[in-house]
Amino acid sequence: MKDAHQRFRALTVALMLLLTASFTVKAQETELLSNLHDFRVNNFVALSAYYQFSATRATDVLNEVVAGINNANASLNAVTESEAGVFTDEQLATLTAQFDSFKALMRQNINDVRESGYPDLRLVSEMANQAQVLSDVSSDLYAIGRESLTSVTNPRIEAARQAAVLMARMMSKYSARSYSSVSQTFQGSDTEAALDEQALAFDALIDTLSAGDGNDEVKQVIDGVATKWMFIRGSYINFNEDNVPFIIDRYSKGILEGLEQAIAMLRTNA
């Protein structure tokens, strides 16, 4: 009887350790996705700020560029140091190398503006193209990370993350068009959808977010995002018309903040 009790106790302890390990791995994978998402958003935030800096040379805008790069760097470090074991060393090395190239180009373009007062259009073009390459690589890894999860991730969280990345991308493209009549042609690849098409895709993501169930606090945040979007939607749809760039920038950043707040709430309630 005593032996049976000891075996049962040992089995219980082993099961608890297995469950704990499973929960730990799941938490690591979930945090990995969160860090990779932040990395994707902050690269475009930094790029958007750079376009403004190239035209204004304002110190506060330069600080936004630096903050975006630093935040992306911190997120990448968290990804590469993760113990989730989702990505291979080669995949992480590729992502790091692409980011290093983006940072080097950003540093050079900032120095050009500070030293000569205007950007080197060739290097601006190269940086925009590198941002697209970096986005593609990080998007592929994010998809791999999602597939590695043992359970399906919350579709509203995924919609909010997709919306945040899309908004950051749209914001950088709009900044390129608004702050330089030349460098606007360098923002994004030839195969990238136009701003009005991206805006329609953003509509669909907001609809997905708004349609889901949730507590009143989550609903209030999502409604706030939708309201801000409706205020600037026409400017993204009719991007060739004269608009007020700083208003578009302010509301776009407000949308990003709202989406990140919604993501945090949805993760807590999951």
Side-chain angles (χ1 to χ4, degrees):
M1 188 69 178
K2 184 176 181 181
D3 290 341
H5 178 71
Q6 290 177 337
R7 287 196 299 270
F8 177 76
R9 183 176 180 182
L11 180 61
T12 301
V13 170
L15 181 59
M16 290 179 64
L17 290 174
L18 181 62
L19 289 173
T20 300
S22 177
F23 288 143
T24 300
V25 171
K26 176 66 179 299
Q28 289 172 342
E29 291 177 339
T30 302
E31 199 61 31
L32 180 69
L33 288 181
S34 179
N35 286 317
L36 195 50
H37 164 71
D38 291 341
F39 175 77
R40 298 165 69 199
V41 170
N42 279 300
N43 285 322
F44 282 118
V45 168
L47 184 62
S48 177
Y50 168 78
Y51 285 121
Q52 296 181 45
F53 172 72
S54 68
T56 65
R57 283 173 282 175
T59 301
D60 59 332
V61 179
L62 176 58
N63 290 339
E64 291 183 26
V65 179
V66 174
I69 293 295
N70 286 343
N71 290 336
N73 199 76
S75 296
L76 179 59
N77 287 339
V79 170
T80 57
E81 294 169 5
S82 172
E83 298 180 357
V86 174
F87 306 130
T88 66
D89 290 342
E90 183 179 0
Q91 288 171 327
L92 292 174
T94 297
L95 181 63
T96 300
Q98 296 296 348
F99 184 54
D100 286 344
S101 296
F102 179 65
K103 286 192 296 184
L105 286 165
M106 179 67 79
R107 189 180 306 112
Q108 182 60 58
N109 278 296
I110 289 173
N111 289 337
D112 285 342
V113 173
R114 297 177 72 176
E115 293 170 5
S116 65
Y118 55 86
D120 181 325
L121 299 182
R122 180 187 62 81
L123 287 177
V124 172
S125 172
E126 191 174 340
M127 180 173 65
N129 290 333
Q130 182 60 29
Q132 183 60 49
V133 171
L134 183 59
S135 176
D136 291 342
V137 171
S138 56
S139 295
D140 288 343
L141 290 187
Y142 187 87
I144 292 171
R146 282 196 65 193
E147 291 177 1
S148 75
L149 292 175
T150 54
S151 61
V152 178
T153 50
N154 187 321
R156 294 180 76 197
I157 292 177
E158 292 307 318
R161 284 177 174 167
Q162 290 179 43
V165 172
L166 182 55
M167 174 51 65
R169 181 194 295 271
M170 290 167 60
M171 186 171 70
S172 67
K173 192 176 184 71
Y174 194 90
S175 291
R177 299 188 67 89
S178 300
Y179 290 95
S180 174
S181 60
V182 179
S183 66
Q184 67 183 29
T185 61
F186 298 141
Q187 171 54 27
S189 64
D190 294 336
T191 58
E192 185 181 11
L195 269 174
D196 54 346
E197 295 177 25
Q198 293 185 41
L200 295 178
F202 194 84
D203 283 341
L205 292 169
I206 291 299
D207 288 343
T208 299
L209 274 173
S210 300
D213 296 329
N215 60 41
D216 292 339
E217 190 175 7
V218 173
K219 184 179 185 303
Q220 184 177 3
V221 171
I222 294 174
D223 286 347
V225 169
T227 299
K228 290 183 178 67
W229 170 238
M230 291 309 297
F231 187 79
I232 62 173
R233 179 181 182 275
S235 296
Y236 278 112
I237 293 289
N238 305 302
F239 55 87
N240 284 321
E241 296 181 1
D242 291 335
N243 293 296
V244 185
F246 80 87
I247 292 180
I248 308 306
D249 180 71
R250 186 179 70 181
Y251 275 82
S252 296
K253 290 175 179 174
I255 289 172
L256 283 175
E257 291 173 1
L259 287 170
E260 295 309 317
Q261 187 177 358
I263 291 169
M265 289 179 175
L266 289 169
R267 288 185 65 188
T268 300
N269 296 333

